[in-house]
Amino acid sequence: MPRIIEGGLDGTGVHVAVIVSRFTEDLTERLLQGALETAAELGVPDWGITVVKVPGAFELPMVAEELAAAGKYDAIVCTGCVIRGETTHYDYVAGEAARGIAEVARAHGLPVTLGVVTAENRSQAEARSGGAKTNMASDAMRAAIDMVNVYRKLRANGDA
């Protein structure tokens, strides 16, 4: 029988940073609220949450790097919203945000999750920022807490 290591959604005592883009602020505030509500539901204490606001999604990895390097957080949740426009700007911003966030996670061995809505239009963005489909930041918070517990178990068992 193989040994199975699985995380869990217990946020007790977890320190998490939430980085939120201000661009399309009406939508990113909904994302932030979803992340905070999910954190509370999972038992993350208020004192365990730090929120950092940045201009746009492109800046998320830069601040994630600073926070990860500080060594004060068990996880970092990055959230924002990028809506396709008439130019290729969307491709660069969305791609670099995702790549940079993943790079920070790998470089620091830390859960750094992607709660960035990438949408073709405003309607899709609204549906994924607390509307009819989901709240991507809530999903990212859930993933962050789960991964914190995976890392804790791996390290406690000497597997990492």
Side-chain angles (χ1 to χ4, degrees):
M1 183 85 162
R3 185 167 59 111
I4 298 172
I5 299 170
E6 193 171 6
L9 296 176
D10 181 4
T12 305
V14 171
H15 290 84
V16 62
V18 180
I19 310 170
V20 60
S21 162
R22 289 189 310 263
F23 196 78
T24 61
E25 193 165 28
D26 61 317
L27 299 177
T28 61
E29 279 300 312
R30 288 172 41 181
L31 289 165
L32 174 59
Q33 288 311 308
L36 296 176
E37 288 169 11
T38 298
E41 289 168 11
L42 300 178
V44 179
D46 282 345
W47 55 260
I49 302 171
T50 299
V51 175
V52 180
K53 294 189 176 188
V54 299
F58 191 80
E59 290 76 27
L60 293 169
M62 293 177 232
V63 173
E65 172 62 34
E66 287 294 310
L67 295 173
K72 297 179 181 180
Y73 300 97
D74 298 308
I76 301 169
V77 175
C78 299
T79 188
C81 183
V82 185
I83 302 171
R84 187 178 298 280
E86 296 176 3
T87 69
T88 58
H89 183 72
Y90 166 94
D91 298 314
Y92 295 108
V93 172
E96 287 302 307
R99 185 195 56 75
I101 290 165
E103 189 175 280
V104 171
R106 285 190 297 270
H108 292 276
L110 184 73
V112 183
T113 59
L114 179 66
V116 178
V117 172
T118 54
E120 294 295 317
N121 55 55
R122 174 118 186 144
S123 176
Q124 288 178 355
E126 288 171 354
R128 288 158 180 80
S129 59
K133 295 281 184 185
T134 190
N135 183 307
M136 295 290 293
S138 177
D139 296 344
M141 179 62 76
R142 213 172 257 99
I145 300 304
D146 198 354
M147 288 300 295
V148 164
N149 288 306
V150 167
Y151 275 99
R152 285 178 174 173
K153 288 179 181 178
L154 287 172
R155 291 169 181 158
N157 293 337
D159 291 301

